[in-house]
Amino acid sequence: MAQLIKIFNENPNEREIDKVVRVLKKGGLIIYPTDTVYGIGCDITNTKAMEKVAKIKNVKLDKANFSFICYDLSNLSDYVKQIDTPTYKILKRALPGPFTFVLPSNNKLPKAFKNKKTIGIRIPDNNIIRELVNKLGNPIVSTSIYDEDDLLEYTTDPELIYEKWGNRVDVVIDGGYGSNIPSTIVDLSEGEIVVLREGKGDVTIL
């Protein structure tokens, strides 16, 4: 069964963050809070761990539409082609925030995603997950646990999440109640704003 670790968003405890980072570095899976729904993820550089996440979601890894959680916009150049100034300004306005932006990928993607032309980027307005990414030193591959059953309470209550998912991951972070509204997905890969899913992010700020 997974460890249940309580971390406060306002001031994440460094020791607890380090404990989770050690799990990630060993190829562990974690469930963590964001500024929208709770997510499940792992270290983006660990193919075996990503395969486990894909299995949980019942998809093949090379077909999975996982997003990458980054610490800030400086991570973008690791995996995203150079973007123009208008696109950067949109990202700057919206992030950190409850958006997933689909952007054109470069040739530095992890091997499992090397055939993908685009990737989804998340920079949640949540100190816990951003501090984990910061300490880990690279993005976390991420997918929501939202869509197994629509809007059931277990997606917002960390203790219920632990009961349901605790035997499939290594750590469940209790960061308080989550939202049951997912991120707004916006495709900027062709230079225009295309809203693929309306969620918690307010598209009028784009």
Side-chain angles (χ1 to χ4, degrees):
M1 202 68 175
Q3 297 179 68
L4 181 63
I5 299 177
K6 189 165 187 66
I7 302 178
F8 294 98
N9 184 39
E10 292 76 24
N11 190 18
N13 181 292
E14 197 172 349
R15 205 170 61 205
E16 304 292 11
I17 292 286
D18 287 343
K19 198 186 290 182
V20 180
V21 168
R22 282 196 294 275
V23 169
L24 286 166
K25 284 183 172 171
K26 286 180 188 164
L29 272 51
I30 68 166
I31 289 176
Y32 50 84
T34 69
D35 50 359
T36 59
V37 299
Y38 267 77
I40 179 170
C42 64
D43 183 342
I44 206 166
T45 64
N46 191 309
T47 305
K48 279 189 176 167
M50 288 195 288
E51 280 169 353
K52 286 185 200 167
V53 177
K55 194 174 177 186
I56 286 173
K57 295 290 280 193
N58 286 322
V59 290
K60 283 202 163 79
L61 183 54
D62 58 351
K63 299 279 191 292
N65 284 322
F66 294 150
S67 51
F68 295 5
I69 292 193
C70 300
Y71 176 68
D72 60 21
L73 289 173
S74 67
N75 287 138
L76 282 190
S77 57
D78 295 345
Y79 302 112
V80 173
K81 279 184 184 167
Q82 193 164 4
I83 52 178
D84 59 25
T85 304
T87 301
Y88 185 79
K89 282 183 175 172
I90 290 168
L91 298 175
K92 193 99 171 120
R93 270 202 303 277
L95 300 173
F99 289 90
T100 300
F101 286 104
V102 178
L103 296 165
S105 59
N106 62 22
N107 57 8
K108 298 183 205 162
L109 283 183
K111 201 166 133 189
F113 302 114
K114 66 180 184 303
N115 295 324
K116 286 198 174 290
K117 301 281 188 285
T118 59
I119 54 162
I121 294 289
R122 279 276 275 132
I123 304 175
D125 187 12
N126 179 281
N127 295 327
I128 298 166
I129 186 60
R130 287 180 68 217
E131 203 46 49
L132 282 172
V133 171
N134 191 31
K135 280 285 179 81
L136 182 63
N138 55 259
I140 287 174
V141 69
S142 172
T143 182
S144 70
I145 58 169
Y146 163 78
D147 55 2
E148 189 171 274
D149 293 298
D150 282 350
L151 304 183
L152 280 189
E153 192 187 358
Y154 75 79
T155 58
T156 65
D157 182 337
E159 289 191 8
L160 294 180
I161 290 169
Y162 179 72
E163 277 174 31
K164 183 168 180 71
W165 294 83
N167 60 352
R168 300 163 88 178
V169 298
D170 300 282
V171 169
V172 175
I173 295 172
D174 177 354
Y177 275 85
S179 167
N180 59 9
I181 302 169
S183 65
T184 295
I185 302 176
V186 182
D187 189 342
L188 297 176
S189 62
E190 300 291 336
E192 292 178 15
I193 298 171
V194 181
V195 178
L196 302 180
R197 176 181 75 192
E198 286 209 33
K200 198 173 176 188
D202 179 1
V203 294
T204 61
I205 70 166
L206 308 176

